[in-house]
């Protein structure tokens, strides 16, 4: 800004002459009208109404005029600035309306168009069958019990009356959890069955006791059509006064009818498990052929391989040594227990022939079972 100059002749100051100010206004209005979009208008605003615009510089000169000339020049510049501001506001509104209009036209959503449906997924049949199995026992008054998958060897083996040199403890069957300093054994294993939950239940719950425990188990098996290193079992345990093998048969029979069909018979044959005595292998009558495949002239049955019976569980009366290990008086109480494979039940019930289908996570497999709750 120049210093005030009393002898200044306004007529001689070109920047503030009416013609010059009008030229500035004309240039500004042309640029504003010519701005094709908001970006260009922004540039025009900077050039013609910004701090460095000719009109702003002219405005700064007013103070340098002799007082008599200031009012005139001030009015002229003020009118010019407001004309430019008015034009800017007007063009801004036009361009915004334009932009909104275009956006509405271009971004119209055709609600009648088909869209990519995102399928809701499906619960895994091992989960739903496991829940169904547990529900059957809950319906008979059993409670659900849980235990850890990384289990103390004592619960998984010792308390269940596995002798220290029992082959099932050896490397080919059991995943041993390494110790903190790299020792191959830490006293913890990935549980090889759900039976350790029997021990946990007997040690912590009041008698009488009726529990089922579904969950994951681990064995060092290679994945093939009939084996998986990770699988699921459901364990059952009842401890009460006066329980006998007849009670075990009753529980198994009720379960088989609820899971596989009314009127199916069950069969117990002698077997061996260290934690039950006597022990039994439980089979049910084939729910597909109901034994017809074993009779002369009957069609062969793929499900029971024409045996008429399908093995479904291990079971038995709780070994008194196990009761004693849990502080239960075997002269007063007796118990029965059973354990069955959830994948196996699923495969039997739905005719799945390859266990790998249950671990590969292909939703097409799960979806076939529907969204059963
Ligand atoms: N824990 C056994 C297994 O994994 C299955 C089993 C057999 C469980 C007999 C039981 C039982 O409760 O009584 O092979």
């Amino acid at each position: 800004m120049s210093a005030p100059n009393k002898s200044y002749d306004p007529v001689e100051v070109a920047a503030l002459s009416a013609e010059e100010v009008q030229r500035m206004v004309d240039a500004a209005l042309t640029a504003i009208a010519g701005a094709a979009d908001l970006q260009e208008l922004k540039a025009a605003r900077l050039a013609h109404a910004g701090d460095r615009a000719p009109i702003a510089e002219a405005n700064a000169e007013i103070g340098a005029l002799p007082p008599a000339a200031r009012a005139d020049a001030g009015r002229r510049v003020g009118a010019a600035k407001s004309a430019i501001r008015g034009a800017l506001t007007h063009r801004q509104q036009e361009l915004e309306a334009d932009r909104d209009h275009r956006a509405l036209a271009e971004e119209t959503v055709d609600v009648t168009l088909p869209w990519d449906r995102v399928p809701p997924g499906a619960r895994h049949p091992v989960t739903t069958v496991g829940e169904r199995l547990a529900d059957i026992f809950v319906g008979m008054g059993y409670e659900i019990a849980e235990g850890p998958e990384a289990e103390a060897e004592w619960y998984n083996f010792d308390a269940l009356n596995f002798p220290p040199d029992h082959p099932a403890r050896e490397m080919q069957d059991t995943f041993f959890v390494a110790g903190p300093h790299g020792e191959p054994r830490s006293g913890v294993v990935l549980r090889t069955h759900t039976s350790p939950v029997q021990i946990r239940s007997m040690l912590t719950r009041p008698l009488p006791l009726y529990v089922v425990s579904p969950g994951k188990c681990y064995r060092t098996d290679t994945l093939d059509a009939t084996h998986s290193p990770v699988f699921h079992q459901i364990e059952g345990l009842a401890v009460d006064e006066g329980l006998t093998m007849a009670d075990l048969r009753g529980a198994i029979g009720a379960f088989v009818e609820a899971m596989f069909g009314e009127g199916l018979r069950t069969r117990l044959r002698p077997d061996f498990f260290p934690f039950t005595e006597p022990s039994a292998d439980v089979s049910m009558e084939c729910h597909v052929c109901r034994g017809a495949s074993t009779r002369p002239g009957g069609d062969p049955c793929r499900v029971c391989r024409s045996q008429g019976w399908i093995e479904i569980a291990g079971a038995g009366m709780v070994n008194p040594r196990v009761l004693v290990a849990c502080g239960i008086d075997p002269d007063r109480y007796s118990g029965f227990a059973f354990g069955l494979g959830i994948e196996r039940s699923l495969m039997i019930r739905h005719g799945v022939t390859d266990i790998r289908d249950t671990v590969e996570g292909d939703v097409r497999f799960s979806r076939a079972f529907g969204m059963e709750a």
Side-chain angles (χ1 to χ4, degrees), residues 207-232:
L207 299 177
L209 181 71
Y210 290 83
V211 291
V212 278
S213 181
K216 271 198 185 78
C217 305
Y218 302 83
R219 288 189 198 171
T220 57
D221 284 323
T222 305
L223 186 64
D224 64 22
T226 52
H227 298 87
S228 167
V230 185
F231 58 99
H232 298 74

Side-chain angles (χ1 to χ4, degrees), residues 192-195 198 219 233 235-236 273 275-276 280 314-316 337-339:
T192 56
H193 51 177
T194 43
S195 301
Q198 289 189 29
R219 288 189 198 171
Q233 287 187 339
E235 190 80 14
F273 298 101
F275 41 93
T276 42
F338 53 87

Side-chain angles (χ1 to χ4, degrees), residues 148-171:
E149 291 171 22
E151 180 60 285
E153 239 178 281
W154 186 81
Y155 285 105
N156 196 79
F157 293 127
D158 300 80
L160 287 164
N161 195 38
F162 281 79
D165 54 355
H166 193 283
R169 293 194 191 207
E170 287 316 309
M171 289 295 185

Side-chain angles (χ1 to χ4, degrees), residues 78-100:
K81 282 173 69 176
S82 92
I84 295 171
R85 231 183 293 120
L88 277 168
T89 307
H90 181 71
R91 187 70 186 138
Q92 174 91 17
Q93 283 165 358
E94 273 180 358
L95 289 173
E96 277 175 359
D98 233 40
R99 176 201 59 193
D100 294 348

Side-chain angles (χ1 to χ4, degrees), residues 264-265 284-291 301 303-304 308-310:
L264 288 171
R265 293 178 300 155
M284 69 173 196
E285 192 180 12
C286 176
H287 59 307
V288 175
C289 74
R290 296 211 174 217
C301 179
V303 175
C304 64
W309 295 95
I310 303 172

Side-chain angles (χ1 to χ4, degrees), residues 13 22 37 42 44 53 57 69 85 90 101 106 118 180 187 199 227 234 255 261 264 268 275 296 304 354:
V13 178
Q22 190 55 49
D37 56 32
K42 196 173 168 190
E57 281 172 359
R85 231 183 293 120
H90 181 71
H101 189 71
E106 284 169 6
V118 180
I199 306 300
H227 298 87
I234 183 165
F255 151 75
L264 288 171
L268 270 60
F275 41 93
C304 64
D354 194 325

